[in-house]
Amino acid sequence: MTVPTNNPKEFRQFEYCGWQQSVDQYHSSFSSLTSQTIESLLDSVNAARDMELLDIATGPGYVAAQAHKRGCKVTGVDLSDAMVAKARQLNPQIDLRSRYAIEFFQGEAESLPFPESQYQAAVMNFGILHLAEPEKALGEAFRVIASQARFGFTVWSKPEKSIALKIMNKAIETYKNTDITLPEGPPFFLFSEQDYCFKCLQNLGFKNPSVQEIPLLWELSSADELFDAFYKGTARTGGILRAQTSKSLDNIRAAIHQDTASYRQNNRLLLPMSAIVVSAQKP
């Protein structure tokens, strides 16, 4: 079931460097979109008061903060120390009525720095899309949760249901400079395939896998904000864009303006998106 990355170490470093420079733009552009899945993700693992929960690839800590509001004892971990710093900045010792603070650590999802069976639940919100060895990370999630605990993660639905990705991918594929070479990671929509997800989870020992598709709406000010969201606010797609010539970038930007025109309403850009919540249980 494992889908190899040509050079996992190289791709992991590529992702790390990308996120180190993308924190603020990611927070300003993507927070309103990726936060829309959080409640469903937490529901999928039955997150509740006094539960010890691990948020893998926590980013700026959005999921960790919501789990904390539910009364969970939350730990967040992320590859990027810049993301960890942002998470700590956004989530100081919040809610003094709670007996728990959120702890954030720098670490790899494929090699979690935590003991076996420590957590009563674990989650990952869109992080699996950026891992060099995603199946290894799923195995690590299995290792660190207790018996009967659940693990849940989110991915984007395929581009036909996620319009921003469809528009961006089309523009890049049409106008990108084919001479550039970047580290190759696993297929971006690999875990958008339910059959693959379930087989992978079951092979690792999980049981009772389930899936839920959630319609989302991404509201942006303009096509330029959409371009900047990916150019400045992502590691993988941003890395591709940042490697382009100025001519290629101009063509990509023009294509995005053209293809988003029909989604403008009241001087805002309203892009239908869709996410998948996958969860399973450790026996």
Side-chain angles (χ1 to χ4, degrees):
M1 290 296 297
T2 300
V3 176
T5 301
N6 285 346
N7 188 326
K9 185 177 180 180
E10 189 176 296
F11 182 74
R12 190 175 294 113
Q13 183 65 20
F14 168 71
E15 283 280 333
Y16 171 80
C17 292
W19 289 121
Q20 287 293 95
Q21 63 181 297
S22 301
V23 175
D24 290 335
Q25 185 70 48
Y26 178 87
H27 178 57
S28 63
S29 294
F30 282 94
S31 61
S32 64
L33 175 62
T34 59
S35 293
Q36 292 176 45
T37 60
I38 293 175
E39 292 301 331
S40 295
L41 178 59
L42 291 176
D43 287 344
S44 77
V45 298
N46 304 316
R49 180 166 296 278
D50 295 329
M51 174 183 284
E52 288 201 46
L53 181 142
L54 178 63
D55 181 21
I56 304 167
T58 188
Y62 307 142
V63 177
Q66 284 302 112
H68 182 271
K69 289 180 180 178
R70 291 192 180 200
C72 296
K73 183 180 181 181
V74 187
T75 301
V77 61
D78 199 276
L79 174 66
S80 165
D81 40 8
M83 280 290 187
V84 171
K86 187 69 172 180
R88 289 173 177 159
Q89 175 197 335
L90 293 174
N91 301 282
Q93 303 297 319
I94 58 175
D95 190 0
L96 297 178
R97 296 167 297 175
S98 172
R99 53 183 157 166
Y100 303 129
I102 308 175
E103 292 188 286
F104 292 105
F105 297 93
Q106 192 275 337
E108 295 180 8
E110 297 99 325
S111 182
L112 292 170
F114 307 113
E116 183 175 339
S117 304
Q118 178 172 341
Y119 296 97
Q120 295 165 293
V123 292
M124 181 162 45
N125 199 30
F126 299 106
I128 202 166
L129 304 169
H130 303 285
L131 301 180
E133 299 173 285
E135 294 88 352
K136 190 174 179 181
L138 295 180
E140 278 290 275
F142 184 89
R143 180 183 66 81
V144 301
I145 61 174
S147 176
Q148 304 305 310
R150 294 191 68 84
F151 167 63
F153 66 94
T154 55
V155 293
W156 299 115
S157 300
K158 290 188 175 181
E160 55 265 26
K161 294 183 177 181
S162 298
I163 300 304
L165 297 176
K166 180 180 180 180
I167 289 171
M168 183 60 63
N169 290 349
K170 177 186 173 185
I172 290 172
E173 285 303 310
T174 303
Y175 296 108
K176 70 179 179 181
N177 176 8
T178 57
D179 293 336
I180 64 171
T181 302
L182 295 172
E184 184 180 356
F188 192 80
F189 294 101
L190 179 63
F191 288 89
S192 304
E193 297 280 357
Q194 179 177 322
D195 288 347
Y196 182 85
C197 269
F198 283 10
K199 287 179 182 177
C200 186
L201 290 166
Q202 289 165 342
N203 285 349
L204 290 166
F206 285 101
K207 67 176 184 178
N208 302 328
S210 67
V211 64
Q212 177 187 4
E213 192 162 18
I214 305 173
L216 313 172
L217 187 66
W218 196 8
E219 183 174 345
L220 298 164
S221 61
S222 64
D224 286 330
E225 185 182 356
L226 176 61
F227 177 88
D228 287 343
F230 283 95
Y231 183 85
K232 300 177 183 178
T234 64
R236 194 165 183 174
T237 304
I240 295 171
L241 290 170
R242 291 187 289 269
Q244 301 302 312
T245 64
S246 57
K247 181 179 180 181
S248 293
L249 284 179
D250 286 345
N251 288 334
I252 290 169
R253 189 189 293 270
I256 291 169
H257 273 265
Q258 179 178 330
D259 290 345
T260 56
S262 61
Y263 297 97
R264 291 198 64 81
Q265 295 183 35
N266 300 321
N267 293 320
R268 301 289 292 175
L269 201 58
L270 303 178
L271 298 173
M273 296 288 287
S274 178
I276 299 168
V277 180
V278 181
S279 65
Q281 187 176 33
K282 182 175 179 176

